Amino acid sequence: MKILKNSFVVVSTLVIALSSSAFAAGDVARGQEIAAGVCAGCHNPDGNSIIPINPSLAGQHAEYIIKQLMDFKAKEGEKPNRNSPVMASMVAPLSQQDMEDVAAFYAAQTPEPAGNISSDEDLLEMGRIMYHGGNIENGVPACASCHGPTGTGIPPHYPALAAQHAEYTYTQLDLFNKAERGNDNGVMQKVLTRMSGAEKRAVAEYIQSMDVQ
Ligand code: HEC
Ligand code: HEC
């Protein structure tokens, strides 16, 4: 709620902070060892996942990755809630330092454009309008206001989305909507309550079609 209210102000100041982002840097080489040993099978060695249900991590902000890993680690029933049996078992053995290192590794990888882009032009256009303009009638804010016009996100709070697998994105939107993912302070849940299923599908396909920067 707090993030939602302030986001439009915060966005512009964070963009300036971005260039000089001085977040505690993890050890990329150590992170690569962890990623190669445990994570690569599902997220691909360079973090550009080729399996649509597994998110791409390449180029994602380190702060966001660390937060997600900590949220997966939090015990069930504890806030914040991001429950994934798969990821919970992956993060269980990781120390805070391990998480920072592996996040630094993925953040340093180059994101690749997605394959398998929808050929449904009308659907992509509907998604494009939602992403950049929202839906004024229903009070849905533009995704671009928090995730950036090119989908690069705004660290530390707003993840990059560009070229993410549509299937993963749609699943997350659905989870937020049903409050089964609740680690967003209610921000995404509020965004989604007024979106139709078709709009969620369209925006997920549009996001997959976005160029990476
Ligand atoms: C067996 C497959 C599998 C392995 C191995 C795996 N992951 Fe995942 N990962 C997933 C899936 C599936 C999700 C989506 C979980 C969800 O939200 O339901 C995910 C989600 C994530 C996310 C959240 C991404 C986002 O955009 O919010 C991060 C970060 C992540 N994984 C990092 C890792 C790291 C680091 C490792 C290795 C220590 C790892 N994963 C190993 C399958 C895997
Ligand atoms: C007011 C700010 C705000 C707006 C507007 C917003 N988001 Fe988000 N979004 C967030 C925040 C904050 C998170 C990260 C929550 C967390 O820490 O897990 C997020 C997370 C997400 C995620 C999860 C990413 C991942 O890798 O798991 C997706 C997908 C997403 N947003 C899509 C959208 C779409 C589509 C729209 C437009 C319909 C939108 N967002 C509008 C703030 C916003």
Side-chain angles (χ1 to χ4, degrees):
M1 218 31 192
K2 206 167 134 228
I3 297 178
L4 183 68
K5 262 200 202 147
N6 298 333
S7 62
F8 299 96
V9 185
V10 172
V11 163
S12 52
T13 42
L14 280 178
V15 170
I16 300 161
L18 205 166
S19 46
S20 59
S21 176
F23 207 79
D27 182 334
V28 173
R30 226 188 132 255
Q32 181 164 22
E33 279 172 30
I34 297 168
V38 196
C39 327
C42 292
H43 294 285
N44 223 37
D46 69 353
N48 284 293
S49 153
I50 49 171
I51 304 165
I53 56 166
N54 298 340
S56 280
L57 305 173
Q60 185 57 273
H61 311 300
E63 302 91 321
Y64 171 78
I65 294 179
I66 295 167
K67 176 180 180 289
Q68 301 310 306
L69 296 177
M70 288 169 67
D71 291 352
F72 285 127
K73 219 174 181 10
K75 292 198 185 65
E76 205 175 327
E78 270 179 17
K79 294 224 164 206
N81 132 27
R82 185 166 187 190
N83 297 319
S84 159
V86 173
M87 280 307 301
S89 65
M90 292 300 145
V91 293
L94 301 184
S95 68
Q96 179 70 27
Q97 189 61 53
D98 292 340
M99 294 193 276
E100 287 177 18
D101 293 347
V102 83
F105 167 70
Y106 283 125
Q109 303 312 299
T110 307
E112 283 170 11
N116 200 22
I117 289 167
S118 170
S119 55
D120 186 338
E121 294 295 335
D122 292 343
L123 189 71
L124 290 178
E125 180 60 9
M126 182 181 180
R128 194 188 65 75
I129 292 169
M130 280 306 302
Y131 187 91
H132 295 281
N135 183 338
I136 294 168
E137 274 175 33
N138 294 344
V140 181
C143 319
S145 60
C146 291
H147 295 283
T150 56
T152 50
I154 304 164
H157 297 304
Y158 306 116
L161 303 177
Q164 185 59 273
H165 295 295
E167 194 171 334
Y168 170 77
T169 298
Y170 183 83
T171 303
Q172 297 305 310
L173 296 181
D174 200 41
L175 290 173
F176 281 129
N177 204 178
K178 293 191 288 202
E180 286 174 25
R181 174 172 171 182
N183 65 337
D184 63 326
N185 249 337
V187 176
M188 281 301 302
Q189 204 189 341
K190 194 155 171 112
V191 168
L192 289 160
T193 43
R194 293 173 181 193
M195 270 174 91
S196 69
E199 285 174 330
K200 282 180 232 165
R201 178 66 64 195
V203 86
E205 291 293 346
Y206 172 71
I207 285 170
Q208 174 163 306
S209 79
M210 289 173 96
D211 280 335
V212 288
Q213 301 299 309

